[in-house]
Amino acid sequence: MEAEAAMAPAAAAAATGAVRVEKVRGRSAVTRCFAKYPLKLIAPSKAGRASSGAAWLYAITYGGGIVSVSRRIASSSSPGLQSTNQPTGDIISCTVAVGDGCAAAMTTQASTKVYKAVDSKCSEQVLEARVGEDALFALIPDPVTCFSMARYHQKQVFHVFPNSNLVVVDWFTSGRYESGEKWNFSFYKSINHILLEDQPLFIDSVLLEQSSNFSIADRMQEYNVVAMVILLGPKLKHIQDQMQDEVKKMMSVQLRPPTSAGGRYSTRSQPLHPQRPPIIASCSPFGRMGTGMVARITAVSTESVYSFLRHHLAALEPFLGACPYPAS
C-alpha cells in the first residue's frame, strides 16, 4: 500500500503498533494489525452496522494505564514519530494507514491512565496516521487521566489529501477529581499536526506544567476537563456547520450578562463574581476556505463533555455504523 510505504522505515521499526485498512470486497477491512507490549490492538469483526462498511479498532494498554520505567528512548529519525530526548517511561508509538475510499475509527475502552512518574521520567504516546483520498479516519478515544505526579507527552501527526476526511478528539481530565485529586500531575503536553500533502495545515500544542508561582489548579479554577475536536474534509462539512451554529447559540445564552428584575435602569447590585458556566466551548475554522474546524471545550465534569461529543458527533453514525461515545 502506497500510504504505508511512504512512512519512514525508522518509524515503522520503532513502532509498538501498526495498522493498515484497505478495501476488501467493497468494505473497509483491517489487513494488518500488529502490536507489542505495552500496546494491544483489537479489531472486532462486528462493531457497527454492516451497511456502513467501516473498520473499528480498540487501543488498549496492559494494566489499563501507562507507567514510567528505567530506560531512555533515542529520538527517531522520522519527523512524525520523533520522541522527546529525555528519560522516559512507557512509550507507545503507532502507525495507521487508511486506504483510499476506506472508513476507520480508532477508540479506547476506557480513559488512558498515566501513573505517577518515577525519577521525573516522562511517559509518551505517539501516533502517525495517513488518510487516503476520499477516506475517513476518526480518532475518538476516551480522555487521558494523569494521576498525581505523572508526566505525560503525546504527539499525533496526520497526513491527508485535499479530499481526505478526519475526526480527532483529543482530551484530558484533571485526574481522579472525584476523589479530590485535581490537577496534581507534574507535566502534560499534547501536540497535533495535520499535514496536507506534506505541507502544514494545522499545528496545535497544549502544555500544562506546575509552576512555583501558580499551580495548574490555580489556573484551571473549578474546571476539570479540557477537550479539542478537529473536523476536516468535505464529508464532514455539515457536521462542522451544525456544531458551529449550536455552540454559538449555547455560549450566547451561557455568557449573557445577568439581568435584574428591576429592569434596564435598576440600581440593584449584581454579584461581583457571577457563576461560571459548567461548560465553555468555541469553534474556529482553519485551512483554505474553512475546510477544517477546531472546537475547544472546557468543562467542570467529564460527563458533560461526553454528552457534548455524543450529541455533536452523532451524525458520524452513517459513516462509522455506530455513534461515537454511546451512553452506557
Side-chain angles (χ1 to χ4, degrees):
M1 181 180 180
E2 292 182 3
E4 188 182 55
M7 292 183 180
T16 54
V19 175
R20 180 172 63 226
V21 178
E22 297 177 291
K23 282 286 188 181
V24 178
R25 300 186 184 92
R27 289 175 51 86
S28 300
V30 178
T31 57
R32 186 189 183 203
C33 185
F34 157 79
K36 64 181 180 180
Y37 183 87
L39 176 66
K40 184 176 182 180
L41 295 172
I42 299 176
S45 58
K46 296 181 180 180
R49 293 200 321 270
S51 59
S52 70
W56 279 74
L57 289 150
Y58 289 84
I60 302 170
T61 53
Y62 286 90
I66 304 174
V67 299
S68 62
V69 293
S70 298
R71 64 173 181 242
R72 179 182 292 272
I73 302 298
S75 296
S76 166
S77 60
S78 166
L81 287 181
Q82 192 173 42
S83 66
T84 59
N85 191 21
Q86 59 176 314
T88 69
D90 277 347
I91 180 167
I92 296 173
S93 59
C94 185
T95 61
V96 178
V98 182
D100 295 348
C102 293
M106 191 170 189
T107 185
T108 54
Q109 290 186 320
S111 64
T112 298
K113 300 171 183 63
V114 184
Y115 299 115
K116 177 181 178 180
V118 177
D119 299 330
S120 298
K121 297 179 178 67
C122 190
S123 300
E124 298 184 27
Q125 285 202 108
V126 186
L127 172 72
E128 184 171 21
R130 291 185 178 271
V131 187
E133 298 194 57
D134 196 38
L136 168 66
F137 179 50
L139 182 63
I140 45 177
D142 295 287
V144 172
T145 296
C146 293
F147 286 23
S148 178
M149 305 300 291
R151 297 179 63 85
Y152 177 74
H153 174 275
Q154 75 171 24
K155 183 175 183 180
Q156 302 181 142
V157 181
F158 306 91
H159 302 265
V160 300
F161 293 93
N163 61 346
S164 299
N165 303 275
L166 178 66
V167 181
V168 178
V169 178
D170 184 17
W171 57 318
F172 60 98
T173 73
S174 63
R176 296 173 290 183
Y177 62 87
E178 292 181 347
S179 301
E181 190 176 285
K182 296 180 58 175
W183 304 114
N184 288 343
F185 55 82
S186 300
F187 177 89
Y188 175 93
K189 187 173 185 179
S190 177
I191 298 173
N192 286 279
H193 290 181
I194 301 177
L195 304 179
L196 175 60
E197 297 180 321
D198 295 326
Q199 296 298 314
L201 175 66
F202 178 85
I203 305 292
D204 184 82
S205 179
V206 174
L207 171 64
L208 288 178
E209 189 171 14
Q210 300 292 356
S211 167
S212 58
N213 296 323
F214 296 98
S215 67
I216 299 174
D218 290 335
R219 287 170 279 172
M220 296 304 298
Q221 299 293 318
E222 66 264 45
Y223 293 101
N224 290 300
V225 189
V226 176
M228 178 177 70
V229 181
I230 300 172
L231 298 171
L232 173 68
K235 291 182 179 180
L236 307 177
K237 188 65 170 66
H238 66 291
I239 303 179
Q240 294 179 32
D241 293 341
Q242 182 178 1
M243 185 182 294
Q244 289 187 79
D245 290 343
E246 293 189 8
V247 166
K248 183 179 180 180
K249 293 177 182 177
M250 178 184 74
M251 297 315 302
S252 67
V253 172
Q254 294 205 39
L255 298 179
R256 183 178 298 159
T259 56
S260 64
R264 179 178 180 182
Y265 301 105
S266 170
T267 58
R268 181 182 298 178
S269 61
Q270 300 295 337
L272 294 177
H273 302 287
Q275 185 177 9
R276 294 183 179 91
I279 184 169
I280 298 175
S282 67
C283 295
S284 304
F286 67 87
R288 295 180 181 177
M289 308 298 293
T291 53
M293 186 210 73
V294 56
R296 302 183 188 276
I297 306 104
T298 186
V300 173
S301 71
T302 307
E303 185 52 46
S304 62
V305 179
Y306 271 121
S307 298
F308 180 97
L309 297 172
R310 190 178 304 124
H311 171 71
H312 289 287
L313 299 182
L316 290 173
E317 183 178 6
F319 303 114
L320 302 179
C323 289
Y325 305 106
S328 56

